[in-house]
Amino acid sequence: MNDLIPFLRLSIPRLPWFLGGLLLAVLTVVAATGLLALSGWFITASALAGAGLIIALDVYRPAGGIRALAVGRTVARYGERIVNHEAVLRHLADLRSWLFRALAPLDPGTLARFRSADLLQRLVGDIDTLDGLFLRVITPTLTAVLTLLGGALFFGLLAPLTVLWVVAVLALAGLILPAIAVVLGGRSGAARIEAAARVRERAVEGVQGLAELRVFGALPRQRASLAAAEQARARAEIQLVRWGALGDTAAMLAGLGAVWLALWLGVGWLSQDQVTAPIVVLLVLATLGLSEAVAMLPGAYQRLGQIRAAAARLLDVAHTRPALPEPVPPRQPTSEGTLALEGVRLRYSNDAPWVLDGVDLSVHPGETVLITGASGAGKSSLIAVALRLVSAQAGEARVGGVPVQSMRYEDLYSTLGVLSQETVLFADTVAANLRLARPEADDAALEEALFLAGLDDFIAALPQGLETAVGEGGALVSGGQARRLALARLILKGAPVVILDEPFRGLDPATIERLKQRLTPWLSGRATLVIAHEPDMAPPCTTHYMLQGGRLQEMASS
Amino acid sequence: MGLRGALNWSRETLGQAAALRIQGRLRDELFAHMAALGPVRLADRHSGSLASAVVEQVEGMNGYYARYLPQVAVSLLVPLGIFIAALTQDWVAALILLFTAPLIPFFMALLGMGAEQVSRRQQETVSRLGGHFLDRLQGLTTLRLFNAQGRAAQEVAEAADGYRATTMKVLRVAFLSSAVLEFFSAVAIALVAMYVGFALIGYLQWGPAGQLSLFSGLFILLMAPDFFQPLRQLALHYHDRAAALGAAQTILPLLSREAPAAPPSPVAPSPRPTGVSIRFQEVSVCFDEGRRTALAGISLEIRPGERVALAGPSGAGKSTLLHLLAGFIAPNQGQVTVDGADPDPLHQAAWVGQRPHLFTGTLADNIRLSRPDADQGAVIRAATEAGVMTFAARLPQGLETVLGERARGLSGGQAQRVALARAALKQAPLWLLDEPTAGLDPEAEALVLEALERSATAGATILIASHHPRVLAWANRVITIQDGCVVHDTGGADANR
């Protein structure tokens, strides 16, 4: 149950909604039970009056009561549904936002633990599963408790105290059956959650890797594994439905048992003249009404297994702590944009060789430093140290005179801009992708950045211009255009320290030449670090190093 | 009582079992259809939103089969039975039931008209939401590097709240319809109760009222709620029907997108490739319903075993040309033939894209994509040829290392080499490579080019889109494409004429 407590805490802001929903749910049961009971009493009393056994029967007040209860029940049920769903959906929206905020500060190394399809499942599917916690479990349980207590009080006033056995049967049914359901539903519930995550993963992977799957003939296998995941899910689901339906049926039978008990007791009292016939009918029908309050509990509790599995999956993400947390207290950059590495040594595990083995480097404003080196030489690791995406075992990176590990990420990334090796664009318009860097930038600023990135002609030729959608990951533009859009985004950001990782990857020589010309004036006032495979693939540099064996070696400047 | 319990149980489980079977079939068919459409035709939809069609929207159909359809039968038969039972006791009470019942379907139909539209909008929101979330999740580090996580979180919160708002719209309609129903059934029950009550007191003397006994009165009164119960249940499940219609309306546009004939089932590729010949005749391809021209009437002839480099500025149409041969798209005009027949990429081609997709599983699994039964020796050979072994040997589990999301842990160049190993293992007679050496250092590039050369000496035809001078030098023919036309061809003239 511990897994569910954080979610109860997260629901506190929506407490007024939940309490309102509970109140309306209780009113619904009370009105429905009252309607049945009062109608039964009225009919029996009428019959007795008709037979002359009761002298004066006021027909108007009970009839008015029946009308009020009938309307009240309908209105309360409608209100109860609306308010409870509103409460839960607001709570779920809070949870999505909460989960995303928990993910946002994680470093790439920590994020790599999760596949994004799986994260999506947690953010959408698992959170959706949690709706049952309030809608089916907590609110109905509290409703049942409150109405059964009220019922006991009411019954006690009208009949001998043995009538409480009737309520006890209902309470027991509402207690024992759900407990059994929790045990029976637990495993299938967890299995269902796990299988649902696998279905999503196979679906996302199948869509994203469609090109490879088709050409390499692996589609049938992907399809089969999707079907297998689907079948596992269906098996768990059907198991759940089976136990759930069994529980609900048992609850229905227990309710009917209570009704029979009430009837049997009532006939006994009637023969001893302890109660009148209309009251017996009232008790029997009220028992029938109250049994509705426990009827849905077993099925709901049997879903608790999957609710808990989903909750555990969410907490797994929420409890993941960034490997490199925000510093306390943070320091502000002291000097103008300078990037420096001092004696940086880095390796990814204790028995692995050093990737960086004492790197010293400084890039001042106005300088463009080029680092070349073989693949796996550690060029990307060097950038990762400067960006504080990994932490070095020895030495430190400084930006603006302050070690990166004592700066807030927000300050670090407003001083330091990077064009990553991998081009990441969002499924949005050209303008929205650029404004990621500077939300308040006007169109003129966007156009200037596009000009510097050599995309002015391309955008001008598009019918929708800046509002053209780029597609998922930039799928609707070519690889080279996507690369230059990412470059334009970096330019728009206008950070004083700039890191370019393979800036001209995938561009043709003519474009590269044009870009070099346009970028040079923009880079002139900044501290620029460029990573490239060869000098041709980088803007003109002031210093050129080769990264080899984890150390930098100065080359003749080009 | 026991019988009622057993029947109730069977109804729920059987309905669900049938629905799950239908759901499985639908999911499979939808995925198969998407697969037939291929990656290029689906590029306008986010993969998160496509996945959500396969996951959520298919599940949205469940309630219709599991609950709505069975309930339709129940709500036709049960009230009829109760009506007949009531008729045997008191025909006036039975008539009251009979005349109030038809009101219910009438009001339901009225509300149902609105429900479908609202439901469809809700499903669209769900699918957009899936795409939005996946997009942001995959770009989390980029968002962070631009200090944009706060804004992204805000957007996620807004999207989630929008989802709540549209869901509530659907629910409000559904709840309103069941409230209306409940109200009418209450009115009907009240009418019956008043009739029975006044008849028993003796205020009513006409018709059968005079003879109504307490037993009959109670019997009718207890049955009245059960007369309406199935209809009320149906109203609740009406929401399932609306949800299913909404889901169907987002799935159908996908299913109705015209797909070429499904890719044939895989046959073991020929172990000794001999290169294929390729012919483009006046081939034109346009996108966005003709607004964007990718290829404008290209004619080409490529002989078996030729190594063709496709050069030209980005966006000129090089990728489109490769997509045609990979079977992802078909030409709008003209004809593409491989060995005189339609392209059969499954049996003929190996594909290395700009951003190769690596799947859940180990490095070896990824290399084995085309031949899951390939022996360890063949996998290691392919991995060595493509330069995968140079880095895999340093990993603790070697080729059995499990890959993380988007092959995190592998550099871009390493991922590309895995893709090349995958292609090498297939031993295909046609290699299609879209910028495969971009991002590779000279050393790895040399390894890859050697791997390509080894395949080429066995006679494979190779088309490679690249600007790299080294690739251009290695190729024995360079075709330059600009604005969808061939502007320069170092080896085409003598071949064509």
Side-chain angles (χ1 to χ4, degrees):
Chain A
M1 278 311 125
N2 286 343
D3 284 348
L4 297 176
I5 288 167
F7 295 96
L8 296 183
R9 209 173 300 133
L10 284 163
S11 74
I12 288 174
R14 305 298 180 190
L15 203 58
W17 280 99
F18 281 114
L19 287 179
L22 177 63
L23 181 71
L24 285 165
V26 171
L27 276 179
T28 308
V29 178
V30 168
T33 308
L35 181 63
L36 265 176
L38 189 58
S39 311
W41 177 86
F42 182 49
I43 283 183
T44 321
S46 304
L48 294 179
L53 293 171
I54 297 178
I55 312 303
L57 176 68
D58 173 12
V59 291
Y60 294 105
R61 266 201 289 173
I66 288 173
R67 274 198 300 276
L69 286 171
V71 173
R73 179 187 65 165
T74 305
V75 172
R77 181 163 300 169
Y78 176 70
E80 176 261 317
R81 285 188 181 144
I82 293 283
V83 172
N84 276 321
H85 279 85
E86 190 76 51
V88 163
L89 289 173
R90 276 170 198 265
H91 173 54
L92 297 192
D94 293 346
L95 288 184
R96 289 188 224 281
S97 170
W98 160 79
L99 191 70
F100 189 83
R101 282 178 205 276
L103 282 168
L106 298 184
D107 48 293
T110 312
L111 273 176
R113 271 186 45 209
F114 306 103
R115 288 184 76 86
S116 61
D118 183 56
L119 284 179
L120 181 65
Q121 174 66 14
R122 292 175 207 238
L123 195 58
V124 179
D126 290 345
I127 289 185
D128 278 345
T129 306
L130 279 181
D131 73 353
L133 179 60
F134 286 94
L135 226 43
R136 291 161 192 259
V137 179
I138 296 182
T139 306
T141 305
L142 292 177
T143 307
V145 169
L146 291 175
T147 49
L148 285 182
L149 282 178
L153 196 71
F154 180 66
F155 281 17
L157 288 176
L158 288 177
L161 282 181
T162 34
V163 77
L164 293 183
W165 281 111
V166 174
V167 181
V169 168
L170 288 179
L172 231 58
L175 197 74
I176 294 174
L177 293 173
I180 297 174
V182 168
V183 177
L184 292 177
R187 236 188 37 195
S188 307
R192 198 203 78 100
I193 289 293
E194 205 177 291
R198 222 164 33 244
V199 168
R200 163 108 42 191
E201 185 185 278
R202 294 288 181 269
V204 170
E205 194 171 75
V207 173
Q208 288 187 336
L210 209 46
E212 279 88 353
L213 290 172
R214 270 171 65 122
V215 175
F216 290 100
L219 262 180
R221 265 180 293 139
Q222 187 74 18
R223 202 171 151 184
S225 75
L226 177 68
E230 165 80 31
Q231 266 165 20
R233 211 191 70 96
R235 261 199 309 277
E237 185 87 53
I238 201 82
Q239 204 61 254
L240 281 174
V241 170
R242 249 179 224 154
W243 289 122
L246 199 63
D248 285 347
T249 306
M252 188 189 82
L253 293 178
L256 286 177
V259 170
W260 280 106
L261 180 66
L263 191 63
W264 182 70
L265 286 173
V267 170
W269 295 323
L270 194 60
S271 63
Q272 294 161 20
D273 270 342
Q274 281 175 302
V275 294
T276 60
I279 294 292
V280 171
V281 176
L282 179 148
L283 286 177
V284 168
L285 288 180
T287 307
L288 190 63
L290 283 180
S291 73
E292 292 282 312
V294 292
M296 303 306 269
L297 286 182
Y301 271 82
Q302 170 263 358
R303 299 228 152 227
L304 209 56
Q306 53 174 311
I307 291 174
R308 280 164 63 187
R313 276 166 53 83
L314 293 175
L315 289 180
D316 178 33
V317 174
H319 288 166
T320 304
R321 292 280 158 257
L324 308 167
E326 294 276 2
V328 194
R331 287 171 62 188
Q332 295 288 325
T334 50
S335 64
E336 270 303 284
T338 301
L339 171 67
L341 271 68
E342 287 165 16
V344 169
R345 296 185 85 199
L346 174 78
R347 59 181 173 186
Y348 288 101
S349 66
N350 286 336
D351 50 355
W354 291 101
V355 180
L356 300 176
D357 192 7
V359 171
D360 291 295
L361 174 73
S362 65
V363 189
H364 296 285
E367 288 181 346
T368 299
V369 173
L370 170 68
I371 296 180
T372 54
S375 182
K379 302 189 301 287
S380 296
S381 300
L382 193 149
I383 293 180
V385 170
L387 291 168
R388 206 183 168 223
L389 297 176
V390 296
S391 130
Q393 275 82 4
E396 63 186 15
R398 291 167 169 271
V399 170
V402 178
V404 291
Q405 66 270 21
S406 45
M407 289 169 82
R408 292 199 315 143
Y409 281 104
E410 203 183 326
D411 295 332
L412 177 61
Y413 297 141
S414 50
T415 313
L416 193 59
V418 62
L419 178 68
S420 314
Q421 188 179 6
E422 197 192 355
T423 307
V424 179
L425 294 181
F426 294 91
D428 221 323
T429 61
V430 169
N433 268 288
L434 293 181
R435 287 208 172 97
L436 190 76
R438 230 173 77 199
E440 76 288 356
D442 58 15
D443 282 2
L446 302 192
E447 271 154 23
E448 200 204 323
L450 288 168
F451 170 79
L452 289 173
L455 277 174
D456 45 332
D457 297 345
F458 167 68
I459 300 294
L462 292 171
Q464 286 166 293
L466 288 169
E467 297 307 316
T468 307
V470 302
E472 174 178 1
L476 296 181
V477 297
S478 78
Q481 285 154 356
R483 191 77 191 138
R484 283 180 287 159
L485 266 179
L487 181 62
R489 183 169 66 189
L490 174 71
I491 290 169
L492 188 68
K493 181 174 168 179
V497 183
V498 179
I499 296 177
L500 304 172
D501 193 353
E502 300 289 349
F504 301 144
R505 180 181 181 185
L507 302 181
D508 57 285
T511 307
I512 292 177
E513 272 320 302
R514 199 171 47 179
L515 276 182
K516 281 183 185 174
Q517 280 171 17
R518 291 190 182 178
L519 278 178
T520 309
W522 186 78
L523 290 174
S524 66
R526 299 164 205 275
T528 310
L529 178 64
V530 188
I531 301 282
H533 286 128
E534 47 196 297
D536 286 356
M537 298 292 278
C541 63
T542 46
T543 324
H544 175 193
Y545 294 102
M546 170 91 126
L547 184 61
Q548 208 165 22
R551 287 164 189 274
L552 290 178
Q553 199 179 350
E554 188 161 354
M555 311 285 284
S557 193
S558 54
Chain B
M1 264 162 68
L3 185 66
R4 181 173 170 184
L7 287 177
N8 188 34
W9 183 80
S10 328
R11 178 180 81 174
E12 287 195 33
T13 49
L14 288 177
Q16 190 64 34
L20 285 171
R21 200 164 300 164
I22 293 170
Q23 182 181 312
R25 177 107 44 93
L26 178 62
R27 182 166 282 160
D28 184 54
E29 253 169 48
L30 182 60
F31 179 68
H33 188 76
M34 283 188 190
L37 281 169
V40 179
R41 283 192 200 85
L42 290 172
D44 59 327
R45 296 270 308 256
H46 196 283
S47 62
S49 124
L50 291 170
S52 132
V54 178
V55 182
E56 270 92 18
Q57 261 98 63
V58 168
E59 265 151 46
M61 312 291 289
N62 184 293
Y64 178 71
Y65 294 106
R67 294 182 291 266
Y68 179 77
L69 280 184
Q71 193 63 36
V72 168
V74 171
S75 55
L76 284 176
L77 295 177
V78 171
L80 189 69
I82 291 182
F83 170 70
I84 292 170
L87 207 56
T88 63
Q89 302 297 323
D90 186 299
W91 59 267
V92 175
L95 280 183
I96 295 177
L97 291 179
L98 187 66
F99 281 112
T100 47
L103 283 175
I104 286 161
F106 172 72
F107 274 95
M108 259 167 50
L110 218 58
L111 285 164
M113 284 178 208
E116 269 157 49
Q117 210 190 353
V118 182
S119 250
R120 193 184 62 221
R121 231 173 304 142
Q122 195 236 3
Q123 293 290 344
E124 280 166 10
T125 313
V126 171
S127 131
R128 246 201 332 268
L129 200 72
H132 180 95
F133 285 169
L134 185 57
D135 203 46
R136 275 19 175 210
L137 287 172
Q138 287 179 336
L140 268 175
T141 300
T142 303
L143 292 173
R144 182 169 205 212
L145 290 173
F146 281 93
N147 281 334
Q149 313 126 290
R151 265 174 286 139
Q154 192 58 40
E155 277 172 29
V156 166
E158 277 162 24
D161 200 58
Y163 173 59
R164 173 195 65 82
T166 49
T167 309
M168 271 321 285
K169 260 186 211 146
V170 175
L171 291 177
R172 227 170 269 144
V173 172
F175 295 156
L176 187 65
S177 64
S178 68
V180 166
L181 240 167
E182 190 162 314
F183 176 73
F184 275 103
S185 70
V187 167
I189 294 169
L191 277 178
V192 172
M194 266 156 56
Y195 167 75
V196 170
F198 287 124
L200 287 177
I201 297 179
Y203 288 0
L204 301 177
Q205 289 302 334
W206 47 271
Q211 289 89 51
L212 190 70
S213 65
L214 176 59
F215 167 78
S216 299
L218 273 182
F219 178 76
I220 291 171
L221 195 63
L222 282 176
M223 273 199 319
D226 272 326
F227 180 81
F228 292 100
Q229 185 58 31
L231 288 166
R232 279 170 50 195
Q233 206 73 47
L234 185 67
L236 269 186
H237 298 326
Y238 206 72
H239 157 67
D240 287 324
R241 176 176 175 271
L245 279 172
Q249 276 167 5
T250 51
I251 293 174
L252 279 179
L254 271 176
L255 279 178
S256 62
R257 278 194 196 186
E258 211 175 312
S265 60
V267 180
S270 50
R272 284 190 56 227
T274 46
V276 293
S277 63
I278 298 167
R279 196 185 164 103
F280 283 75
Q281 275 176 300
E282 300 287 330
V283 171
S284 295
V285 174
C286 30
F287 293 113
D288 299 341
E289 287 153 11
R291 269 172 290 166
R292 200 155 55 85
T293 305
L295 290 179
I298 276 192
S299 293
L300 275 177
E301 207 147 317
I302 295 164
R303 284 156 305 204
E306 269 193 307
R307 296 193 297 266
V308 181
L310 300 169
S314 39
K318 305 187 298 280
S319 296
T320 306
L321 207 139
L322 294 174
H323 289 161
L324 281 169
L325 291 169
F328 299 157
I329 48 172
N332 296 77
Q333 271 168 33
Q335 208 184 6
V336 182
T337 52
V338 175
D339 276 350
D342 285 339
D344 178 10
L346 195 56
H347 297 121
Q348 292 166 333
W351 170 263
V352 180
Q354 281 174 357
R355 272 206 282 174
H357 187 91
L358 299 186
F359 295 85
T360 323
T362 64
L363 270 174
D365 291 340
N366 268 287
I367 295 172
R368 278 203 182 94
L369 194 66
S370 64
R371 284 170 55 198
D373 54 339
D375 60 61
Q376 190 66 17
V379 172
I380 290 177
R381 217 164 27 249
T384 313
E385 279 174 357
V388 171
M389 285 318 277
T390 50
F391 66 87
R394 290 204 299 266
L395 297 170
Q397 270 124 8
L399 286 178
E400 297 309 317
T401 305
V402 175
L403 298 175
E405 164 75 23
R406 292 218 151 178
R408 284 212 184 107
L410 295 192
S411 72
Q414 288 169 336
Q416 238 135 355
R417 282 187 269 166
V418 176
L420 281 165
R422 185 187 276 169
L425 188 71
K426 185 169 177 180
Q427 299 256 303
L430 171 63
W431 281 53
L432 304 169
L433 304 104
D434 201 354
E435 310 268 1
T437 59
L440 295 194
D441 59 83
E443 181 195 347
E445 191 168 50
L447 275 171
V448 168
L449 291 178
E450 269 172 44
L452 276 172
E453 276 163 27
R454 273 194 288 274
S455 178
T457 45
T461 308
I462 298 178
L463 271 82
I464 175 167
S466 177
H467 304 294
H468 203 284
R470 182 161 179 151
V471 175
L472 300 187
W474 169 75
N476 51 24
R477 180 172 169 191
V478 178
I479 299 176
T480 310
I481 299 177
Q482 203 160 9
D483 297 328
C485 301
V486 175
V487 292
H488 188 71
D489 186 349
T490 59
D494 54 328
N496 283 337
R497 307 276 168 257

